[in-house]
Amino acid sequence: MPSAKPYNVLFLDQSQNLPNPLPTPNDIDGSESVVHESTGCRLLRVQQRFLVKFGIHVHPIEGYNMLYVAKSTTVPISKVYAIYQCQEEQHIVTYILMQYVPGTTLLDSWASLDRARKTAIALTLRTYFDQLRQLQPPGYFGDIDGGPPLDDMFSTIQNTQDIKTSLTTEDNLIDYIIQAYSLETGKRMAYKAQYYQHVFPTVLRGNGSPVFTHNDFQRKNVLVQPDGTPLIIDWEFASWYPTYWEYSTAIFANSGWTDDWHEYLCMVLDEYPNQSLWLSSMKNEMWF
């Protein structure tokens, strides 16, 4: 029998009156049901009632974001029971232990829904985002711990530079966006970066105040439970962003444009088509 590996407890829900101790990293023995698997991240169903998300690309902030939403709103969310970390070879692996919630993603079920059901789901999701928008802003653009905003767009800049602080103004955020764009595209788009530096201060404008943003709102991240209640999952990129950011990332994620999802997206979120178009064009230049 292998020896137990040491791990750190970053969070543990002390309010539970469970008959058995909460599962730990040492309780994963390979017999679990795999719910999802990608590079650096696995989701396993443990002891029927739990879901554990773990890997080198899983970070504690995702669990903290979920705890923050659960504490600050009535938005339905999978309950977080524990957050662990342990050193495995050359990497730090984070484990987020949460409630297993049965259901089907909106991506998988969308084609089978009629217009009335789609509308009902969209209007329910609207109430969730209305609550998120009403959360008291911290006075900066960044993650809930005061670090820089989370987004795939910024991965290069955060990997190459030791940036640990949030951004004070929308102008600071624009500079950050252009810096990330320049690092990703290099000489290939050097002149376009100069153009963005010129126009973004005019076209990328919210109302000056950050709002709490899920930042990966797409149908694969909406779980419809058996009773019909939608649940938003995957909070790893949630941060304080300008008002236009949620809609812009949601539009960019609507790859293919093969159905009517966009018609309902505007029921869920306020529309910011101008900012969305600029950001989508820039991301396409960065990644495609």
Side-chain angles (χ1 to χ4, degrees):
M1 180 176 181
S3 59
K5 57 189 173 186
Y7 60 87
N8 295 319
V9 179
L10 305 186
F11 168 78
L12 190 66
D13 184 1
Q14 303 286 2
S15 66
Q16 298 303 303
N17 184 21
L18 299 174
N20 300 307
L22 290 171
T24 75
N26 288 309
D27 294 316
I28 297 174
D29 59 12
S31 64
E32 298 80 14
S33 173
V34 177
V35 176
H36 176 76
E37 190 166 13
S38 60
T39 303
C41 174
R42 299 186 76 197
L43 272 81
L44 305 179
R45 188 174 180 183
V46 180
Q47 298 177 13
Q48 298 304 310
R49 61 168 299 176
F50 299 110
L51 186 72
V52 60
K53 183 174 185 177
F54 70 100
I56 61 174
H57 291 159
V58 178
H59 303 287
I61 192 70
E62 179 175 358
Y64 293 136
N65 283 332
M66 296 171 68
L67 290 167
Y68 173 68
V69 172
K71 178 181 177 181
S72 307
T73 73
T74 60
V75 173
I77 196 164
S78 179
K79 183 175 180 59
V80 175
Y81 292 105
I83 304 173
Y84 309 112
Q85 271 190 337
C86 62
Q87 185 80 36
E88 295 185 8
E89 297 180 349
Q90 302 300 315
H91 302 286
I92 295 177
V93 178
T94 299
Y95 295 73
I96 301 175
L97 181 71
M98 64 190 89
Q99 171 192 11
Y100 172 76
V101 179
T104 305
T105 69
L106 205 54
L107 180 62
D108 291 336
S109 62
W110 190 255
S112 67
L113 302 177
D114 60 24
R115 180 168 290 274
R117 184 70 188 117
K118 290 176 179 178
T119 300
I121 290 173
L123 294 177
T124 299
L125 290 168
R126 175 72 191 208
T127 67
Y128 299 171
F129 282 100
D130 283 346
Q131 286 197 57
L132 296 180
R133 299 299 175 266
Q134 293 166 10
L135 293 173
Q136 184 64 35
Y140 64 76
F141 299 90
D143 69 26
I144 60 171
D145 286 337
L150 304 171
D151 193 284
D152 278 341
M153 183 194 305
F154 304 130
S155 60
T156 299
I157 188 173
Q158 291 174 4
N159 289 336
T160 58
Q161 302 180 31
D162 189 22
I163 298 175
K164 297 182 179 179
T165 60
S166 57
L167 308 169
T168 305
T169 66
E170 286 190 339
D171 287 327
N172 295 145
L173 178 62
I174 289 169
D175 289 340
Y176 199 58
I177 292 170
I178 295 170
Q179 189 177 1
Y181 175 84
S182 297
L183 282 173
E184 187 72 29
T185 60
K187 293 181 179 180
R188 175 173 62 89
M189 301 301 289
Y191 289 113
K192 192 64 173 288
Q194 293 178 14
Y195 177 68
Y196 284 150
Q197 186 74 60
H198 172 66
V199 300
F200 275 7
T202 300
V203 299
L204 288 188
R205 286 296 171 190
N207 63 5
S209 180
V211 294
F212 192 68
T213 303
H214 177 270
N215 196 29
D216 195 15
F217 180 62
Q218 48 185 312
R219 283 173 289 180
K220 73 174 185 177
N221 289 334
V222 178
L223 190 71
V224 181
Q225 300 173 73
D227 66 358
T229 303
L231 183 84
I232 302 174
I233 60 175
D234 284 357
W235 292 82
E236 59 186 306
F237 296 119
S239 301
W240 295 96
Y241 273 107
T243 50
Y244 61 80
W245 198 269
E246 193 89 82
Y247 177 80
S248 298
T249 58
I251 286 292
F252 181 73
N254 187 26
S255 58
W257 290 79
T258 57
D259 58 25
D260 59 353
W261 169 237
H262 66 280
E263 296 180 26
Y264 298 89
L265 192 58
C266 66
M267 298 181 191
V268 181
L269 303 171
D270 290 343
E271 294 185 275
Y272 295 89
N274 293 333
Q275 295 93 325
S276 171
L277 182 60
W278 283 99
L279 283 174
S280 293
S281 296
M282 187 197 67
K283 289 178 180 179
N284 280 322
E285 292 163 1
M286 291 174 70
W287 295 327
F288 302 107

